[in-house]
Amino acid sequence: MGGYRGTCMATTYEKIDVTAKLAAYMRQFTDIPFADDVAEYVQANAAFDAMLRKTGLKPEQFTWYAPIFEARYKSIAAVLRKSGIRQAIELASGLSLRGLAMTRDPALTYIETDMPAITAEKTALVADIRRKRELAPTENYRIVSADATDPAQLAAVADGLEVGPVAIINEGLMQYLTRAELRSVAAIVHDVLDRFGGIWITPDFSFVSQETDVSEQQKAVRRAVSGEIDRDMYECAFADEAALQAFFDETGFQADVRNQVDEAGRVVSVTRLNLPSDTLERLRPKLRLWVLHSTTALRGMNAPAVRPSA
């Protein structure tokens, strides 16, 4: 696939777990549902303190990321609600628990998928939250073990859906994928959308400029995180917009690009962390959200009706 650089080597679950705990730490400063429960359960504060000791960085060098995590989470939820689609599959859902929060609406079915180790951890976490908050289990929220790069596994998950459109969601997945894996995920999502109709929602496409056009503070944080997971988070980034469009053309998608800040609504972490008032405006150009449609499904929708033979 053109438009990439680097070797794009795979990353293990143990290394991904480091960034999952960092995300959990940041979400504590938001009003995202269950964020405090997740941070407590995974001991996010201890993991964050350990990273500070190891890297010599200061908390404020990391915490400005909190609005990014908040805007990303909220914008995805907002686009799903606006779409009117009533069933969703989240790939590599980690510990965000968006499905648990959104299925308080009984009309929405939400299936969170991830690798077996993360799924087991999440299942225990959700059980703990239900006990503490006295939340009864519901049929419209499911946690399923499935590899996002395995066509058979995702097809099996989709078999549990009703006839009608589905939203496929992923947040924070693509930076861990090899080139071949990214192609595979796109093909799998395309097949599901051709089968059911619907959309693919993701903020995960990145560009080389996001690594080069940043402050020294950002570079220091990225070096620290890359050291923890043993890889450059942007090594599989697209060279530019043209390279990303070529990927869409190759894999059969039409993209509608939204802005996370516009979609997210109120982002409370800016105030809670006493960040500069213009933080979101400075971040806005880089906080994009892609809503993707299968081009073959769109052609089918727009095809003229065929009159039956007399």
Side-chain angles (χ1 to χ4, degrees):
M1 186 191 308
Y4 282 114
R5 61 191 186 86
T7 55
C8 295
M9 298 299 290
T11 303
T12 65
Y13 161 69
E14 289 77 13
K15 294 183 183 300
I16 294 172
D17 190 51
V18 173
T19 56
K21 290 181 178 180
L22 181 60
Y25 178 84
M26 297 300 170
R27 290 190 183 113
Q28 292 178 101
F29 303 104
T30 75
D31 56 357
I32 292 172
F34 311 116
D36 290 340
D37 300 280
V38 174
E40 180 182 0
Y41 188 87
V42 303
Q43 300 181 333
N45 289 0
F48 184 70
D49 290 342
M51 179 175 283
L52 294 181
R53 289 193 299 273
K54 183 175 180 179
T55 62
L57 296 173
K58 298 178 180 179
E60 57 268 23
Q61 290 179 276
F62 282 94
T63 50
W64 67 272
Y65 275 97
I68 296 176
F69 284 104
E70 184 176 0
R72 193 170 71 180
Y73 177 102
K74 289 182 174 179
S75 63
I76 292 170
V79 168
L80 176 56
R81 289 191 192 97
K82 289 180 189 177
S83 75
I85 293 173
R86 308 311 297 170
Q87 50 189 358
I89 300 173
E90 184 162 354
L91 311 178
S93 56
L95 300 174
S96 73
L97 304 188
R98 186 178 5 254
L100 180 61
M102 294 193 72
T103 51
R104 287 181 285 190
D105 173 0
L108 176 65
T109 294
Y110 203 110
I111 304 173
E112 294 183 350
T113 71
D114 216 313
M115 301 297 282
I118 301 177
T119 298
E121 183 175 20
K122 175 184 283 186
T123 300
L125 167 60
V126 169
D128 184 65
I129 290 172
R130 289 196 188 281
R131 282 193 299 269
K132 288 195 305 184
R133 295 179 176 261
E134 298 182 348
L135 300 175
T138 60
E139 292 295 325
N140 60 326
Y141 173 60
R142 306 170 206 162
I143 304 171
V144 179
S145 177
D147 182 344
T149 65
D150 186 317
Q153 291 188 37
L154 190 57
V157 174
D159 285 342
L161 297 175
E162 301 291 333
V163 174
V166 58
I168 306 295
I169 294 166
N170 63 271
E171 174 191 356
L173 166 65
M174 292 180 186
Q175 61 265 44
Y176 300 110
L177 299 181
T178 65
R179 300 179 187 186
E181 287 170 340
L182 182 53
R183 273 201 201 97
S184 178
V185 169
I188 292 166
V189 172
H190 194 279
D191 286 348
V192 173
L193 296 187
D194 279 354
R195 179 180 170 190
F196 288 91
I199 54 178
W200 180 12
I201 307 171
T202 179
D204 284 358
F205 297 111
S206 58
F207 300 94
V208 172
S209 61
Q210 289 174 281
E211 180 183 25
T212 57
D213 300 340
V214 296
S215 68
E216 288 304 314
Q217 173 176 294
Q218 289 172 283
K219 289 178 182 177
V221 171
R222 288 178 180 173
R223 283 194 297 270
V225 174
S226 295
E228 290 293 323
I229 65 172
D230 196 26
R231 71 169 294 166
D232 175 0
M233 297 287 284
Y234 287 88
E235 69 179 336
C236 293
F238 287 90
D240 50 32
E241 297 278 359
L244 179 57
Q245 185 57 52
F247 170 76
F248 291 151
D249 293 341
E250 174 192 346
T251 53
F253 287 99
Q254 177 177 305
D256 172 18
V257 186
R258 314 280 181 90
N259 187 275
Q260 294 176 35
V261 176
D262 293 336
E263 298 290 346
R266 186 165 174 252
V267 177
V268 303
S269 55
V270 173
T271 302
R272 291 182 178 181
L273 287 165
N274 197 29
L275 297 173
S277 59
D278 65 344
T279 294
L280 287 175
E281 287 307 309
R282 288 189 287 107
L283 291 171
R284 178 188 293 273
K286 296 181 179 180
L287 297 184
R288 288 186 280 184
L289 185 68
W290 285 266
V291 181
L292 304 167
H293 299 261
S294 159
T295 52
T296 52
L298 286 173
R299 283 197 295 271
M301 290 170 57
N302 295 327
V306 177
R307 297 181 64 182
S309 301

Short mmCIF file of all heavy atoms in Angstrom, two decimals, residues 11 21 31 62 80 98 115 145 155 177 180 221 253 277 284:
data_model
loop_
_atom_site.label_atom_id
_atom_site.label_comp_id
_atom_site.label_asym_id
_atom_site.label_seq_id
_atom_site.Cartn_x
_atom_site.Cartn_y
_atom_site.Cartn_z
N THR A 11 2.43 -4.83 17.47
CA THR A 11 2.66 -4.52 18.87
C THR A 11 1.90 -5.51 19.74
O THR A 11 0.79 -5.91 19.41
CB THR A 11 2.18 -3.09 19.19
OG1 THR A 11 2.85 -2.18 18.33
CG2 THR A 11 2.47 -2.71 20.62
N LYS A 21 -3.86 2.45 29.93
CA LYS A 21 -3.87 3.05 31.27
C LYS A 21 -3.63 4.54 31.22
O LYS A 21 -4.19 5.30 32.02
CB LYS A 21 -2.83 2.35 32.15
CG LYS A 21 -3.23 0.91 32.50
CD LYS A 21 -2.20 0.23 33.39
CE LYS A 21 -2.65 -1.18 33.75
NZ LYS A 21 -1.68 -1.89 34.60
N ASP A 31 -16.00 14.34 31.86
CA ASP A 31 -17.27 13.83 32.41
C ASP A 31 -17.75 12.61 31.61
O ASP A 31 -18.94 12.32 31.57
CB ASP A 31 -18.33 14.92 32.43
CG ASP A 31 -18.57 15.55 31.06
OD1 ASP A 31 -17.88 15.18 30.08
OD2 ASP A 31 -19.46 16.43 30.96
N PHE A 62 1.82 16.01 30.03
CA PHE A 62 0.90 14.99 29.55
C PHE A 62 -0.56 15.44 29.56
O PHE A 62 -1.32 15.08 28.67
CB PHE A 62 1.00 13.74 30.43
CG PHE A 62 2.18 12.86 30.16
CD1 PHE A 62 3.35 13.03 30.89
CD2 PHE A 62 2.13 11.87 29.20
CE1 PHE A 62 4.44 12.21 30.66
CE2 PHE A 62 3.22 11.04 28.97
CZ PHE A 62 4.38 11.22 29.69
N LEU A 80 -22.67 8.89 16.12
CA LEU A 80 -23.51 7.69 16.14
C LEU A 80 -24.96 8.06 16.45
O LEU A 80 -25.89 7.58 15.78
CB LEU A 80 -22.97 6.69 17.17
CG LEU A 80 -23.81 5.42 17.37
CD1 LEU A 80 -24.02 4.68 16.06
CD2 LEU A 80 -23.16 4.52 18.41
N ARG A 98 -17.77 2.89 26.08
CA ARG A 98 -18.77 3.72 25.38
C ARG A 98 -20.08 2.95 25.22
O ARG A 98 -21.17 3.51 25.36
CB ARG A 98 -18.21 4.12 24.01
CG ARG A 98 -19.10 5.11 23.27
CD ARG A 98 -18.55 5.57 21.92
NE ARG A 98 -17.34 4.89 21.54
CZ ARG A 98 -16.12 5.46 21.57
NH1 ARG A 98 -15.99 6.71 21.97
NH2 ARG A 98 -15.05 4.78 21.19
N MET A 115 -9.36 -8.19 21.86
CA MET A 115 -8.63 -9.44 22.01
C MET A 115 -9.00 -10.12 23.33
O MET A 115 -9.48 -9.46 24.25
CB MET A 115 -7.13 -9.16 21.94
CG MET A 115 -6.70 -8.50 20.64
SD MET A 115 -7.00 -9.53 19.20
CE MET A 115 -5.63 -10.67 19.33
N SER A 145 -15.15 -11.35 22.49
CA SER A 145 -13.76 -11.50 22.07
C SER A 145 -13.70 -11.67 20.55
O SER A 145 -14.31 -12.58 20.00
CB SER A 145 -13.13 -12.71 22.76
OG SER A 145 -11.81 -12.90 22.31
N ALA A 155 -17.17 -11.47 11.16
CA ALA A 155 -18.39 -11.96 10.52
C ALA A 155 -19.28 -12.67 11.54
O ALA A 155 -20.51 -12.53 11.52
CB ALA A 155 -18.05 -12.90 9.36
N LEU A 177 -1.49 -1.15 14.00
CA LEU A 177 -1.64 -2.10 12.91
C LEU A 177 -0.47 -2.05 11.94
O LEU A 177 0.09 -0.99 11.66
CB LEU A 177 -2.93 -1.81 12.13
CG LEU A 177 -4.24 -1.91 12.91
CD1 LEU A 177 -5.41 -1.62 12.00
CD2 LEU A 177 -4.40 -3.27 13.57
N ALA A 180 -0.40 -4.60 6.35
CA ALA A 180 -1.31 -5.68 5.94
C ALA A 180 -2.55 -5.71 6.82
O ALA A 180 -3.67 -5.94 6.33
CB ALA A 180 -0.59 -7.02 5.98
N VAL A 221 6.80 13.91 24.95
CA VAL A 221 5.78 12.97 25.39
C VAL A 221 5.71 11.78 24.44
O VAL A 221 5.63 10.62 24.87
CB VAL A 221 4.41 13.66 25.50
CG1 VAL A 221 3.30 12.64 25.74
CG2 VAL A 221 4.43 14.69 26.62
N PHE A 253 -14.00 3.02 -0.19
CA PHE A 253 -14.74 3.87 0.75
C PHE A 253 -14.86 5.30 0.25
O PHE A 253 -13.96 5.83 -0.42
CB PHE A 253 -14.05 3.89 2.12
CG PHE A 253 -14.21 2.61 2.89
CD1 PHE A 253 -13.20 1.66 2.90
CD2 PHE A 253 -15.38 2.34 3.58
CE1 PHE A 253 -13.35 0.47 3.59
CE2 PHE A 253 -15.53 1.15 4.28
CZ PHE A 253 -14.51 0.21 4.29
N SER A 277 -7.50 28.84 27.51
CA SER A 277 -8.86 28.87 26.95
C SER A 277 -8.90 28.58 25.46
O SER A 277 -9.93 28.18 24.92
CB SER A 277 -9.51 30.22 27.23
OG SER A 277 -8.74 31.28 26.66
N ARG A 284 -8.02 22.09 17.08
CA ARG A 284 -9.08 21.83 16.11
C ARG A 284 -8.60 21.30 14.75
O ARG A 284 -9.14 20.31 14.24
CB ARG A 284 -9.90 23.10 15.91
CG ARG A 284 -11.01 22.97 14.87
CD ARG A 284 -11.66 24.31 14.59
NE ARG A 284 -12.37 24.80 15.75
CZ ARG A 284 -13.64 24.49 16.04
NH1 ARG A 284 -14.31 23.69 15.23
NH2 ARG A 284 -14.23 24.98 17.10
#
